[in-house]
Amino acid sequence: MTTDGHTVPRTGNGFIDVTHAALMDRVGTIRRACAKGVPRHVVVPHFDAFVDEMHAHFDHEEVIIRAAGFHRWEEHANQHAMLEQQLVRLVDYVRECDVTGDFLCTVAGTLDAALCRHEIRHDGEYAALVRSASAAPDGPDLIRWDSRYELGIAPLDAQHRQLADCLNELHRASLGHAPEADVAALLEQMHDHAQAHFAMEEGVLRSVAPSRFVAHRAHHQALNAQFARVRQAVESGGLDAGVAARDFLRFWLTDHLLGSDRVAFAGGTVTRQ
Ligand SMILES: [Fe+2]
Ligand SMILES: [Fe+2]
Ligand SMILES: [Fe+2]
Ligand SMILES: [Fe+2]
């Protein structure tokens, strides 16, 4: 529930719902501080945190809806980009200019209204699809390996399978209420495997399809930042490990396997090993 009384509907994906709630909490904090007349230099860090959290949310949400098969994901990403541009401009203005308390309240209300409008109207368009894609799996594994996931390059396929095994182990650990230290160790292991995999894959791509290397390396850097942020949220107690695994990391990994890698290696002159 927002400070204007709007309710952001649940999407059925726990990760998205948790981040929507956190963004609404942040906006609520900003609005209450502005209404109380808290000085600008005290409120500005909250505006900056809002921008950072909104950017991460949009980034993560795009991974989930693309992997879930929402065919209008690019249109949705464009809506994110436009909204972010508008709100970042407002926050930049508040940070750089000596504005009045009334103006701060107006900007806070604008962030609230614009974000809610997006989450209620536009996020509702993918909700049914994402809800069904986020359902708990039938068996113990989040990703059941099959030939769909194979690139046909043995060392890379082995690493992809290892990442899927790590994810499944994290999922089982969360179902079994494993101790925090065990969850942290699994996240560290998966992160290490992912970084080693990205490095090896970039080496292969540089030799077989050099024109795609730079863009794919940038994509890996984005994936690494997403993983690091989610890992940090779990380790700090701000995000449940099961929600992270089931409702974000499985989409993160399938988007990597069936989306970006398939495109990057399509048509490359790779010898099957
Ligand atoms: Fe959203
Ligand atoms: Fe969205
Ligand atoms: Fe890749
Ligand atoms: Fe890969």
Side-chain angles (χ1 to χ4, degrees), residues 1-271:
M1 178 84 72
T2 73
T3 45
D4 281 342
H6 302 299
T7 301
V8 174
R10 295 176 74 81
T11 63
N13 176 285
F15 183 84
I16 293 177
D17 291 339
V18 162
T19 47
H20 279 171
L23 274 172
M24 289 299 106
D25 281 352
R26 176 69 70 186
V27 170
T29 301
I30 292 171
R31 291 197 74 172
R32 283 190 295 277
C34 293
K36 272 194 237 159
V38 170
R40 185 174 66 94
H41 72 274
V42 177
V43 188
V44 161
H46 289 290
F47 278 108
D48 286 334
F50 168 81
V51 166
D52 173 61
E53 289 159 8
M54 175 182 64
H55 177 77
H57 167 61
F58 288 167
D59 192 31
H60 292 152
E61 191 179 273
E62 286 162 26
V63 169
I64 293 168
I65 65 176
R66 191 167 54 229
F70 183 54
H71 69 281
R72 288 164 53 211
W73 74 266
E74 277 179 294
E75 186 187 324
H76 197 90
N78 286 336
Q79 287 158 353
H80 284 166
M82 280 190 292
L83 182 57
E84 190 170 346
Q85 192 182 38
Q86 290 161 8
L87 299 187
V88 164
R89 203 175 290 153
L90 276 176
V91 170
D92 284 347
Y93 188 71
V94 159
R95 188 189 318 100
E96 303 305 328
C97 301
D98 189 16
V99 297
T100 65
D102 281 350
F103 188 81
L104 280 179
C105 287
T106 302
V107 170
T110 302
L111 300 190
D112 193 346
L115 190 66
C116 281
R117 197 163 48 236
H118 174 78
E119 290 177 352
I120 292 168
R121 186 189 300 169
H122 297 302
D123 285 359
E125 293 167 358
Y126 66 66
L129 183 76
V130 163
R131 181 172 293 113
S132 117
S134 306
D138 290 338
D141 292 339
L142 280 176
I143 293 186
R144 208 176 305 155
W145 193 264
D146 64 49
S147 56
R148 251 175 352 128
Y149 297 116
E150 305 272 347
L151 277 180
I153 306 166
L156 297 183
D157 284 334
Q159 289 182 331
H160 284 161
R161 193 162 187 162
Q162 187 179 42
L163 286 170
D165 288 344
C166 286
L167 178 67
N168 289 333
E169 203 176 336
L170 181 63
H171 172 61
R172 287 193 295 272
S174 71
L175 290 177
H177 306 288
E180 282 175 19
D182 292 2
V183 166
L186 289 171
L187 280 167
E188 183 181 13
Q189 185 185 51
M190 186 171 174
H191 200 177
D192 288 348
H193 285 323
Q195 287 171 321
H197 166 63
F198 293 155
M200 184 196 233
E201 198 173 83
E202 286 159 22
V204 174
L205 194 62
R206 194 200 280 265
S207 66
V208 301
S211 62
R212 300 185 201 128
F213 164 73
V214 171
H216 201 69
R217 183 179 57 184
H219 171 69
H220 284 167
Q221 286 164 349
L223 289 175
N224 188 40
Q226 289 160 2
F227 193 102
R229 189 167 185 124
V230 168
R231 178 182 168 191
Q232 200 275 332
V234 173
E235 290 177 355
S236 66
L239 178 66
D240 178 77
V243 170
R246 187 187 65 241
D247 289 346
F248 180 69
L249 291 175
R250 84 161 131 168
F251 295 101
W252 177 89
L253 187 54
T254 51
D255 189 46
H256 174 72
L257 298 176
L258 301 177
S260 57
D261 279 2
R262 203 154 287 266
V263 172
F265 287 94
T269 51
V270 177
T271 308

